[in-house]
Amino acid sequence: MCVNLTVTGMPFFLLLGLLLFISCFAFIINFVDTMTNILKIRIFMIAVSSVCSAILFCWNGQQLINVTGNIFYTLSGSPWYYWNLKNIKTFLIFMTNFTKNESIICTGICLNYNLFVSLVRISVSYALVLYNLGKSSLV
């Protein structure tokens, strides 16, 4: 149920979060000289809350991947050869289902640590491109 709920909202949060992250970086880079201290604090708090939300989403997705992998390794060490035939068949079906780690994937985007690193890299690069465009248009 949690995975289905996350997969439903993930594209919207990902798109809006990325756009918000890029716009915050571009705004900070372009207007850092003219901002008041209160505005700097507000923007800093927005950036911190956005980063914390992205870290939390990616951390939860990575934990899901890690837990399903740990269940597989724990089950593979169990003494199944002492069990009866019905339990062995159930165990083998269970192990077959756990050979692939469960993860939250929507449109080819997996919610894990790599997603957070790529979001930060894309946001900073786009913000610097916008800064350079604004800087070159002033000349």
Side-chain angles (χ1 to χ4, degrees), residues 11-28:
F12 302 113
F13 282 120
L14 188 63
L15 181 66
L16 293 175
L18 185 64
L19 292 175
L20 179 69
F21 211 48
I22 291 170
S23 64
C24 281
F25 273 133
F27 185 79
I28 290 169

Side-chain angles (χ1 to χ4, degrees), residues 28 59 103:
I28 290 169
W59 181 74
S103 58

